[in-house]
Amino acid sequence: MRQRRGWNSPVPAIYSFAMIDRRTFLLSIGVFSISTGMPDAKAEPELIVARKNRIQLAPEGYPPTEVWAYNGQVPGEILRVRQGGRIVRRLENRLDDPTTIHWHGIRIDNAMDGVSDLTQAPVGIGEGFLYDFIVPDAGTFWFHPHRNTLEQVSRGLSAPLIVDEPDQPDIDDDIVLMINDWRLDPDAQVIDDFTNMMDRSHAGRIGNYLTVNGLAEYVRASKRNERLRLRVINASSDRVIRLGGKGLNARIVALDGMPLPTPLRLDGMDLAPAQRVDLFADIIAETGETAFLTSEERGGTYSLATFPVSANSAAIPRDTLKPLLPNDLPEPQLADAVTTELVMEGGAMGGMMNGMMHRNRMMGMRDLMSEGLVWAFNGVAGMPDSPLLRADRHQTVRIMLDNRTAFSHAMHLHGHHFSEIMPEGLGPARDTILVGARSKKEIAFVADNPGKWMFHCHMLAHQAAGMATWIEVSS
Ligand code: C2O
Ligand code: CU
């Protein structure tokens, strides 16, 4: 059994979650109410208050952790709506830092996209903002601030946004699993090191304590042959999670909210920061055994979610699995696309640039470092004044992502879903894609949503350190 405590060790990345062979115990069923996913109108707040709170994040025996949270909870309460439905929520900012809400993955009206200084003014301390928008796609989404994002997400501001299909698929339960990655000190407080240049210039700000739905250990009693829909959301600021399963027959049915035409067996997949995967997981562990959703880290296998299989399993195995119905996404027309290139440079071990543009002037390495900037897109660090690309509405856009750095990056486009162009055709539609170190990926999408849309690395320490740009789609 691996020691679960010990984030006070000077060695980074001591994982708190249990080894897979750890003997688990049943928690009372009440703990899981957050995950049952039953629509509950009165539980949906009209207000989303961003405020501080103290919650028991670390295991018993540690003090409560001060978090920044939506309505005081980490993760925030699930916001749930039917496909095509409307969301109306007033953000109230009771933090001492300006904020916004970005509705990640929603093909939204640009004015509601929540990007501070691009689509709206920041919501000041004590101020509010009314978000009001329609959700066109069914699937698993989430929301988080888009202002001082690294710090605000790392302190706890994040919540699931679930859009239900018109018809419920054939499942026994619908479970949201939101992963948050924390960097805690020995007193279980979030370490205030958001400008750390080591993090910014390497793989990002990786924490030392993972929670699933705010819990050190997520446990749900289950039955053999049950089919669970697991909606896994990686809300970590920078950590890539390598997902697997044991005692589960898990099929990937959707990525970033968009259904796969043909479900794929889950066989070790990287879930980058901000990415989501929907799994249909049939419990195949025997009665008395335990099934696990796992993550792999440095040769160890850890449990993200633990499903002890109880004795009274009556369910019969299902022999079919129907794909989810597709969302209505336009099909890219590769032949008459506008094309551009995004060259990613900088960071450690990648031959940091001697200088790059920032706010319309050339800056040397020292000045850049003093601004916390170490990465550039096409030679520009941080948000440029003019967009990477201007597209006419409905035009297909192709962007070659050329990662010349020694790290992988999780590129996210707002307001659209895109597909990777692969030799065998277009890959699945996504809103966030992991581009490996020193590799290239080309993506395509139809620019059908007018407005100014951010395009950035969702490793939030990298975003803060310069990996941000935007595109503009004409109306
Ligand atoms: Cu999830 Cu620009 O963000
Ligand atoms: Cu990055």
Side-chain angles (χ1 to χ4, degrees):
M1 192 219 304
R2 183 154 303 186
Q3 194 43 261
R4 299 183 56 226
R5 302 205 172 170
W7 61 70
N8 46 8
S9 148
V11 184
I14 301 288
Y15 310 107
S16 70
F17 33 99
M19 275 297 275
I20 191 153
D21 57 8
R22 183 171 185 274
R23 297 220 56 88
T24 53
F25 51 92
L26 279 169
L27 298 176
S28 91
I29 230 65
V31 174
F32 308 113
S33 58
I34 189 168
S35 68
T36 57
M38 299 312 290
D40 179 358
K42 70 174 184 308
E44 287 183 355
E46 293 302 309
L47 273 186
I48 297 178
V49 180
R51 63 177 170 90
K52 292 184 183 174
N53 198 8
R54 296 180 74 80
I55 62 173
Q56 190 64 40
L57 208 59
E60 285 306 303
Y62 285 87
T65 302
E66 184 184 280
V67 295
W68 299 5
Y70 291 129
N71 291 337
Q73 293 183 41
V74 173
E77 186 174 11
I78 298 170
L79 181 49
R80 199 159 194 130
V81 66
R82 287 236 147 200
Q83 183 169 17
R86 179 173 170 191
I87 290 179
V88 184
R89 288 292 182 284
R90 186 176 167 78
L91 165 67
E92 218 177 87
N93 182 9
R94 288 193 210 143
L95 303 168
D96 32 13
D97 196 21
T99 191
T100 61
I101 296 179
H102 168 59
W103 312 89
H104 184 115
I106 303 293
R107 295 189 297 142
I108 202 169
D109 175 5
N110 192 246
M112 295 291 126
D113 197 45
V115 178
S116 173
D117 298 323
L118 185 70
T119 68
Q120 70 168 95
V123 181
I125 299 160
E127 292 176 356
F129 187 87
L130 186 70
Y131 289 98
D132 182 351
F133 55 95
I134 303 292
V135 287
D137 301 313
T140 302
F141 304 95
W142 65 298
F143 59 96
H144 61 77
H146 224 295
R147 166 93 188 178
N148 190 18
T149 316
L150 170 63
E151 175 168 10
Q152 294 195 3
V153 169
S154 301
R155 290 189 183 277
L157 288 163
S158 57
L161 168 50
I162 305 301
V163 184
D164 285 309
E165 296 85 10
D167 300 308
Q168 174 78 338
D170 176 30
I171 51 168
D172 295 309
D173 200 359
D174 185 322
I175 298 172
V176 177
L177 298 171
M178 192 173 215
I179 303 167
N180 291 85
D181 184 23
W182 306 88
R183 188 181 280 184
L184 301 179
D185 69 14
D187 296 321
Q189 300 310 304
V190 176
I191 298 173
D192 180 12
D193 61 353
F194 303 101
T195 56
N196 182 308
M197 290 308 281
M198 269 299 274
D199 293 337
R200 287 185 173 221
S201 61
H202 290 73
R205 188 174 177 278
I206 308 292
N208 53 11
Y209 183 63
L210 279 196
T211 56
V212 174
N213 296 350
L215 303 166
E217 191 170 11
Y218 177 91
V219 184
R220 177 196 178 277
S222 68
K223 293 180 190 159
R224 188 168 153 81
N225 298 326
E226 247 186 327
R227 177 168 288 176
L228 307 176
R229 180 180 189 161
L230 305 179
R231 302 173 182 265
V232 188
I233 305 171
N234 186 359
S236 304
S237 63
D238 296 87
R239 184 193 292 271
V240 178
I241 308 274
R242 180 133 191 105
L243 283 180
K246 189 167 181 271
L248 295 174
N249 177 14
R251 271 68 49 87
I252 302 169
V253 295
L255 294 170
D256 295 348
M258 294 298 164
L260 296 187
T262 312
L264 285 176
R265 188 165 300 278
L266 173 68
D267 182 19
M269 74 167 289
D270 283 332
L271 197 67
Q275 287 186 326
R276 290 86 65 211
V277 62
D278 283 48
L279 303 171
F280 281 3
D282 294 355
I283 303 284
I284 56 172
E286 300 288 343
T287 300
E289 292 183 348
T290 303
F292 299 92
L293 182 73
T294 61
S295 81
E296 255 161 59
E297 294 271 357
R298 302 182 183 186
T301 303
Y302 303 85
S303 173
L304 287 172
T306 301
F307 304 98
V309 183
S310 64
N312 58 341
S313 26
I316 303 163
R318 292 167 171 87
D319 45 16
T320 57
L321 186 147
K322 278 210 306 202
L324 297 169
L325 286 180
N327 288 311
D328 189 16
L329 268 187
E331 172 87 12
Q333 303 301 319
L334 297 184
D336 36 39
V338 283
T339 62
T340 192
E341 202 182 29
L342 187 81
V343 177
M344 304 145 91
E345 289 175 299
M349 300 179 292
M352 309 235 292
M353 303 84 28
N354 299 319
M356 44 198 191
M357 295 292 288
H358 176 61
R359 301 219 169 283
N360 279 331
R361 68 185 184 91
M362 199 63 192
M363 283 171 73
M365 214 46 226
R366 273 191 45 203
D367 290 344
L368 288 163
M369 295 278 283
S370 70
E371 302 255 349
L373 296 167
V374 282
W375 306 94
F377 288 156
N378 296 349
V380 181
M383 281 288 271
D385 292 336
S386 53
L388 171 72
L389 174 111
R390 288 195 170 89
D392 290 335
R393 196 170 179 191
H394 305 301
Q395 203 163 40
T396 293
V397 174
R398 296 171 65 152
I399 306 177
M400 177 60 81
L401 306 173
D402 181 359
N403 179 2
R404 299 189 186 164
T405 79
F407 296 88
S408 52
H409 300 289
M411 290 300 299
H412 169 52
L413 176 64
H414 286 214
H416 300 77
H417 276 65
F418 53 78
S419 294
E420 184 182 349
I421 304 173
M422 297 193 289
E424 56 282 14
L426 287 176
R430 306 214 64 159
D431 60 46
T432 305
I433 190 173
L434 196 59
V435 186
R438 300 196 173 95
S439 70
K440 290 185 181 188
K441 279 186 180 173
E442 190 178 16
I443 60 167
F445 60 96
V446 178
D448 62 344
N449 199 353
K452 297 177 173 179
W453 302 106
M454 236 183 131
F455 187 40
H456 63 88
C457 180
H458 218 293
M459 284 146 174
L460 299 175
H462 292 174
Q463 183 193 349
M467 298 195 107
T469 186
W470 55 292
I471 66 161
E472 183 159 29
V473 181
S474 68
S475 44

